[in-house]
Amino acid sequence: MNIAKIAVLGSGTMGSGIAQVAAQSGYEIVLIDVEKSLVDRAITGIGKALQKAVDKGKMTAEDKEQVLARMKGSITYDDCKEVDLVIEAIIENMDIKKDVYKKLDELCPVHTILASNTSSLSITEMAAATKRADKIVGMHFFNPAQVMKLVEVIPGLDTSQETLTVVTELSKKMGKVPVNAKESPGFIVNRILVPMINEAVIALGEGIGTKEEIDTAMKLGAGMPMGPLALADLVGIDVVLAVAEVFHKEFADSKYRPALLLKQMVRAGHLGLKTGRGFYNYKK
Ligand code: 3HC
């Protein structure tokens, strides 16, 4: 099966990063969100990122224009009627996702694959909202999607081998390294990374080190490119908490309990980079 047109649902950090990478890899993209202002902001951001690449001499101005010409913004799912693949990167809420998958199943051509960028939710459960469970798959990118090389490819219970092959090949064409992961909360990376970030937040709450000391220790002592608290700010503290809560519920094991401080940060609206304040302050 040949993929030419892709819809990306959700114009947040992950959706816009994925849309940028896909358009740079030659695919025709429609980036869909619920409000025009959100889509416009994402496409403006992509334009700025591409301009930076031009300024650094990593891309020609002509290439930039071609990438942007391959992208269109939209606020209607009707634009999924002509795509070969949908990459869904909307909010991590199973009820909302199920509604979206039901709608996509009704709208999309029979050959269209529906891939979810979910961090930790069940692909099988999303697939059950459709009549094409063989074409539902996890395609999990990492933040920043423009830079991080990995894509986890996750089958649900009824995902076909053909769907897995198409998504694996597509990931390679997007310059990524696909790794298969079984369906299980958090798959591979988040299963290991999120408990580590949660532990860093517990350590901070216990005063084992300051935020700077914890991050410096993990950078210099464990070779992380950025410390776990700075990484939580990058990923979104709400996202980290949502994943931690899925683990706690699904594994029913107290070792996955989310740190109280993580909950407090979310309750206070300090979600990290995207709100200007998380463990660190990003307001100028
Ligand atoms: N968008 C696009 N490009 C970006 C970027 C962004 N948000 N952030 C950095 N870059 C680019 C820079 O432009 C630069 O490009 P260049 O080499 O062409 O000049 C390159 O990446 C390196 O950036 P910097 O020199 O500014 O900074 P670093 O070398 O420190 O790299 C980093 C930044 C790539 C973010 C690095 O710190 C890193 O790898 N951090 C860890 C990220 C990580 O672990 N992500 C996974 C999170 S888990 C997840 O996403 C799963 C989810 O489900 C929760």
Side-chain angles (χ1 to χ4, degrees):
M1 184 190 154
N2 188 35
I3 303 283
K5 283 191 178 181
I6 300 176
V8 177
L9 299 192
S11 64
T13 311
M14 292 309 292
S16 58
I18 295 166
Q20 181 185 330
V21 175
Q24 283 185 253
S25 309
Y27 296 96
E28 223 178 292
I29 302 299
V30 55
L31 180 59
I32 304 176
D33 211 320
V34 288
E35 273 181 38
K36 189 168 181 306
S37 60
L38 296 175
V39 178
D40 288 348
R41 192 173 65 186
I43 292 186
T44 305
I46 292 170
K48 282 186 187 159
L50 295 175
Q51 186 55 47
K52 267 193 195 164
V54 173
D55 295 343
K56 285 182 189 169
K58 297 196 163 183
M59 176 186 263
T60 66
E62 195 189 353
D63 283 345
K64 175 194 140 190
E65 291 312 321
Q66 281 176 3
V67 171
L68 288 175
R70 281 196 286 274
M71 291 190 85
K72 130 177 172 184
S74 164
I75 51 165
T76 166
Y77 282 18
D78 282 352
D79 279 309
C80 293
K81 280 182 182 164
E82 289 179 354
V83 302
D84 307 305
L85 172 82
V86 177
I87 302 178
E88 168 272 310
I90 64 164
I91 186 169
E92 287 288 88
N93 175 303
M94 184 55 88
D95 289 338
I96 297 175
K97 286 201 196 272
K98 283 204 276 199
D99 281 349
V100 165
Y101 278 87
K102 189 166 179 295
K103 203 160 154 188
L104 290 172
D105 190 33
E106 287 159 7
L107 277 174
C108 293
V110 285
H111 75 276
T112 304
I113 291 175
L114 310 180
S116 178
N117 180 55
T118 182
S119 312
S120 62
L121 299 177
S122 165
I123 305 302
T124 302
E125 196 172 347
M126 292 173 218
T130 73
K131 296 190 182 70
R132 61 175 87 196
D134 59 318
K135 293 194 168 58
I136 315 297
V137 65
M139 189 178 187
H140 186 210
F141 292 80
F142 294 82
N143 189 352
Q146 298 90 333
V147 180
M148 302 302 282
K149 281 285 178 197
L150 183 69
V151 171
E152 288 177 325
V153 177
I154 309 114
L157 196 61
D158 296 314
T159 309
S160 69
Q161 186 53 51
E162 194 202 347
T163 299
L164 289 174
T165 305
V166 170
V167 167
T168 300
E169 289 310 309
L170 173 73
S171 305
K172 290 182 192 163
K173 286 182 188 153
M174 288 171 73
K176 303 297 181 193
V177 177
V179 164
N180 296 323
K182 257 174 80 174
E183 182 177 54
S184 174
F187 318 122
I188 297 173
V189 172
N190 281 342
R191 171 75 177 269
I192 298 166
L193 186 67
V194 170
M196 189 274 289
I197 294 176
N198 190 48
E199 205 57 41
V201 180
I202 292 173
L204 178 67
E206 288 178 6
I208 291 172
T210 62
K211 55 183 186 285
E212 291 86 1
E213 284 163 345
I214 290 171
D215 275 353
T216 301
M218 291 305 285
K219 278 200 297 186
L220 303 185
M224 290 180 70
M226 63 203 296
L229 301 170
L231 184 55
D233 282 354
L234 174 75
V235 167
I237 296 176
D238 53 336
V239 176
V240 175
L241 178 62
V243 177
E245 281 175 336
V246 168
F247 288 178
H248 197 210
K249 183 166 167 252
E250 289 271 311
F251 294 118
D253 186 331
S254 63
K255 81 173 178 181
Y256 292 111
R257 78 211 177 286
L260 175 62
L261 180 56
L262 210 48
K263 292 186 193 174
Q264 286 176 309
M265 296 291 282
V266 173
R267 286 172 188 153
H270 304 323
L271 308 184
L273 210 56
K274 62 188 165 189
T275 59
R277 180 171 164 190
F279 293 106
Y280 295 88
N281 196 346
Y282 302 91
K283 286 185 185 135
K284 287 182 188 118

